Amino acid sequence: MNIWRNSFEQQHFAVYFALLIFWALVHLFSQYAFGLGWGFFPFVITLPFIPFVLVWLGVQFSRHFRYYREGVRRSIHVCHCFCTATLFSLFVFHFVY
């Protein structure tokens, strides 16, 4: 059973990494969109995906924070909370700033 738990946690870290790459590409493309003549196109294309990403990150944060408070494998859950909170902040900051 421990093998599945580790595999599941590693899968989440892969998803966090993929979301970080997605954020970096969207952020980079959005910075140069007006210069390339794209205008608000990157904003319009990514807007439908962002609420789903934010909800998923919020659910993951609350789940791992609950596990942290229960005292089960605290170090891994602190890492998950840090990753989800950072990604959540980056995605919100991208659309606010």
Side-chain angles (χ1 to χ4, degrees):
M1 190 67 165
N2 197 10
I3 294 171
W4 292 107
R5 181 179 296 161
N6 290 337
S7 173
F8 185 68
E9 290 168 357
Q10 289 173 358
Q11 179 185 7
H12 277 162
F13 286 122
V15 172
Y16 299 154
F17 183 71
L19 285 174
L20 183 65
I21 297 297
F22 174 70
W23 175 84
L25 291 175
V26 167
H27 191 69
L28 183 68
F29 188 64
S30 296
Q31 285 180 338
Y32 298 108
F34 285 108
L36 296 172
W38 286 85
F40 286 106
F41 186 70
F43 179 74
V44 172
I45 293 298
T46 59
L47 191 60
F49 299 107
I50 300 305
F52 296 111
V53 169
L54 292 176
V55 167
W56 185 80
L57 288 170
V59 167
Q60 294 304 315
F61 180 83
S62 64
R63 184 170 69 93
H64 287 288
F65 187 68
R66 186 181 71 229
Y67 289 154
Y68 171 77
R69 285 190 312 185
E70 291 175 0
V72 179
R73 300 179 68 202
R74 286 186 162 207
S75 61
I76 194 74
H77 296 298
V78 166
C79 189
H80 278 284
C81 286
F82 176 76
C83 290
T84 55
T86 302
L87 284 169
F88 189 89
S89 300
L90 286 174
F91 277 103
V92 168
F93 178 72
H94 176 73
F95 284 99
V96 170
Y97 176 69

